Amino acid sequence: MNLVKKKSKLYSVLHLKCPRCHEGDLFLESNPYSLRKMLDMPQQCAICRQDFRMEPGFYSGALWTSYPLGVLIIILSWLIFHQLLSLSFSLTFLCISLIALLLQPVIMRFGRAIWINLFVDYRDM
């Protein structure tokens, strides 16, 4: 059972799909940890032909969406490791640093997905 409706922006972001048709993939490589290709995107959607590169430097704006995601992960990690598990400051810092580093490719992809969804709306094909 899918809890997020297909025609919602949240669906497009969570599934990393085209914001217009919710069918085409935003990224060429499905594995975010394929570091050489983690941010490679097609020029346009394979299904609806939505342009994914609307202007030069378009995705530099994704920094505004990925930064809050990173901060949220750091805060949640701090609450879990330091507050709930009562780990020392040094161990908490180490755990948070590792988590932030390991999740960076995922955060960057979601930042891009959120950014393009701010500018492109869903259309029934």
Side-chain angles (χ1 to χ4, degrees):
M1 183 169 134
N2 197 353
L3 299 176
V4 180
K5 292 182 182 178
K6 188 169 183 177
K7 295 179 181 180
S8 72
K9 288 190 178 283
L10 186 58
Y11 177 89
S12 172
V13 170
L14 292 178
H15 294 274
L16 301 173
K17 295 294 185 181
C18 170
R20 181 193 275 173
C21 69
H22 294 185
E23 296 292 330
D25 294 322
L26 274 179
F27 297 96
L28 294 173
E29 176 67 43
S30 61
N31 179 5
Y33 296 100
S34 176
L35 298 181
R36 291 182 190 249
K37 299 178 182 180
M38 72 179 177
L39 294 178
D40 289 353
M41 300 174 73
Q43 286 287 114
Q44 60 188 11
C45 176
I47 308 299
C48 70
R49 303 287 183 233
Q50 167 64 43
D51 185 11
F52 288 159
R53 301 179 190 215
M54 293 175 265
E55 62 184 49
F58 176 74
Y59 289 104
S60 61
L63 295 170
W64 290 99
T65 54
S66 61
Y67 179 77
L69 293 176
V71 170
L72 178 65
I73 289 169
I74 289 169
I75 291 171
L76 290 175
S77 298
W78 178 79
L79 288 171
I80 292 168
F81 292 116
H82 194 67
Q83 299 299 105
L84 290 177
L85 300 176
S86 300
L87 297 181
S88 69
F89 178 79
S90 298
L91 195 51
T92 298
F93 180 79
L94 179 66
C95 291
I96 290 172
S97 297
L98 285 172
I99 288 171
L101 181 66
L102 291 174
L103 288 180
Q104 191 59 37
V106 175
I107 292 168
M108 291 169 66
R109 281 182 167 216
F110 281 118
R112 281 190 175 201
I114 292 168
W115 188 249
I116 195 169
N117 269 278
L118 291 175
F119 298 96
V120 179
D121 291 325
Y122 175 80
R123 286 192 213 154
D124 244 339
M125 302 312 266

